[in-house]
Amino acid sequence: MKYYILFGPPGAGKGTQAKKIITKFNYLHLSTGDLLRGEIKKGSKLGKNAAFIIEQGNLVPDEIVADMIKKQFEAHKNDVDGFLLDGFPRTKKQAVMLDKILFEMNQEVTQILSLHLDDKYIFDRIFHRAQIEGRKDDTKTEVIQNRIDTYHSKTEPLISYYKKQDKYFEIDGLGTIDEIFEKISKIF
Ligand code: AMP
């Protein structure tokens, strides 16, 4: 079983690329952001608790997202050849939790594919996407800035975590959707 992580700042195009990857490979796209938005839509207790945190551009507790991911692995392990994680892990603690979950299943992270994008492009991309998708967390300037700052302070340190494990691959996130997909496909 393959366990890939699609990594990068918000707005780097992870969701778009993930959709293309899973149509080419028999993987399941697991986006914690999508799963959390699904919980909010359902009106579940988890969704209600997460909604305010998400609207502020902060991170929901590590245990909640790790548990969601674990349940998805268990539910779909016989349906697919692999999992494509998008938006998880987002903190060092989540990365350690993921390693533990996989270790208990006798598995490990296969590779990290990182879409690199400079801050100057991130803001516009997020803002533009919000117009299309109507996302509440991406319409306010200060919330977008908080999401970018949170990425730098809490998520970016994961790069060295995975570099040390020799699993980190970086791709320039600037280019057309197809150009970037071609580069990703070569790594796969
Ligand atoms: P995304 O769609 O990946 O940009 O996620 C939207 C929001 O959901 C984030 O700003 C966080 O509030 C929350 N979220 C998604 N994934 C995680 C995660 N792995 N850890 C904590 N919060 C998350």
Side-chain angles (χ1 to χ4, degrees):
M1 187 68 89
K2 306 277 188 196
Y3 293 88
Y4 285 101
I5 297 171
L6 205 49
F7 189 85
K14 299 189 294 295
T16 306
Q17 292 299 332
K19 285 188 186 85
K20 285 179 80 72
I21 294 166
I22 56 158
T23 53
K24 185 162 174 173
F25 303 93
N26 183 31
Y27 298 155
L28 183 73
H29 177 204
L30 283 184
S31 152
T32 38
D34 285 349
L35 290 169
L36 288 164
R37 282 184 287 276
E39 292 295 328
I40 295 172
K41 235 185 188 163
K42 271 197 282 179
S44 69
K45 192 169 169 240
L46 193 161
K48 279 183 185 136
N49 290 337
F52 182 73
I53 302 174
I54 294 173
E55 277 172 32
Q56 304 296 307
N58 293 321
L59 295 181
V60 304
D62 295 322
E63 290 73 16
I64 291 180
V65 277
D67 191 52
M68 288 175 95
I69 288 293
K70 188 178 176 193
K71 285 189 179 134
Q72 292 290 320
F73 286 162
E74 281 162 2
H76 299 286
K77 60 175 185 272
N78 297 320
D79 309 338
V80 288
D81 298 325
F83 293 92
L84 184 63
L85 299 175
D86 162 8
F88 177 90
R90 241 172 164 109
T91 62
K92 171 92 188 293
K93 193 169 165 202
Q94 289 178 22
V96 172
M97 288 170 116
L98 174 64
D99 281 348
K100 186 166 173 277
I101 292 167
L102 293 177
F103 180 78
E104 283 165 3
M105 292 162 48
N106 228 346
Q107 302 286 334
E108 62 174 305
V109 169
T110 310
Q111 267 178 9
I112 319 299
L113 260 88
S114 173
L115 292 178
H116 177 77
L117 198 63
D118 263 15
D119 278 11
K120 61 178 181 227
Y121 302 108
I122 297 175
F123 201 94
D124 285 348
R125 285 237 199 147
I126 295 180
F127 198 74
H128 176 71
R129 180 179 64 183
Q131 318 295 312
I132 300 165
E133 295 181 3
R135 280 178 55 163
K136 262 194 193 164
D137 57 341
D138 284 342
T139 41
K140 288 194 201 118
T141 307
E142 64 273 22
V143 175
I144 298 176
Q145 194 54 53
N146 188 26
R147 270 160 56 70
I148 296 171
D149 294 345
T150 303
Y151 170 76
H152 288 307
S153 62
K154 302 211 167 126
T155 309
E156 219 165 36
L158 291 182
I159 294 176
S160 68
Y161 182 81
Y162 288 112
K163 269 187 180 167
K164 275 186 208 139
Q165 297 185 15
D166 218 9
K167 291 181 174 171
Y168 181 82
F169 291 84
E170 194 168 282
I171 291 163
D172 186 354
L174 263 194
T176 67
I177 292 172
D178 288 336
E179 277 164 5
I180 296 166
F181 182 60
E182 208 181 303
K183 287 184 204 164
I184 292 178
S185 296
K186 274 187 194 145
I187 294 177
F188 268 90

